[in-house]
Amino acid sequence: MITTEQVFALAALFFIVFFLGYIIYYALDLFFLNPFKKLPALTKEEETLISVNLPFYGKLSDTNKKKFKKRLLRFRSRKKIVFHEDVEKQDDIKLLLSATVAMLTMGMRDFMVLSIKRIIIYPTYYYSVFTRQNHYGEYNPALKIVVFSAEQLFHGFKIPNDNVNLAVHEFAHAISFNVLNKQSFQGWSFMHGLRKLKRMYTSKDFLNKLETTTYFRAYGRTNIHEFFAVAVENYIETPAVFKRDFPELYSIMKRMLNFDFSK
């Protein structure tokens, strides 16, 4: 005859086994290793849209393309993207934003970017209750929200080598905040690169060079964080020019992002 104590013991054992199973399932799902859950593959039309708007995709090896697509699909399926008012081409926006994050995190382990909980899209510029100004895009680290103007998003992808891409810029802020809070080798490497970037950014010789060059847009001189985001735009869109004209800075950026976009 089974005693009450044995019933409770069996119930406790069942709960522990179930809980451990859930943790394993969640971990596999998070890192795209879950054999029980498969997301639909990208369509040919979607791959074409990515190739047109993100030329880097065409330079990836087959292995890296597979990695990129897996990360894109997982990000798109898990992140909450909210559209306000009458935003057109919503599926295209979801695809391009997810592709941008997958691109920026190719050299990182955390491609889900936990510093982003929600993405909000407006048709054009919007009034921010946080800054009390009109914006085309912003990242709020406290709320973990990224906000975009759809109009400016598409404008940023339209010319792939003008070093102006709103999605890259705002996601660079979010990824920077995400990596800096990681107790890992990636976090340490990123911090080390950021310290070197700060020293360079405040040096007289480099500031003089910034004043005389048109390669980096003026907004990058706002502060070190904006300069980093602007530099990421250049690093992504014109890596060969970046590497040729600013080799030391390019080396720092490569260390921080852990991926060489010039190849």
Side-chain angles (χ1 to χ4, degrees), residues 129-140:
V129 296
F130 306 111
T131 64
R132 301 192 179 190
Q133 295 178 340
N134 289 326
H135 283 274
Y136 286 117
E138 64 180 316
Y139 171 63
N140 186 308

Side-chain angles (χ1 to χ4, degrees), residues 204-218 221 245-246:
K204 187 176 180 180
D205 289 343
F206 187 73
L207 288 174
N208 288 337
K209 191 172 183 179
L210 281 183
E211 290 291 337
T212 58
T213 185
T214 58
Y215 182 62
F216 297 105
R217 56 193 173 100
R221 293 195 281 275
D245 295 349
F246 294 87

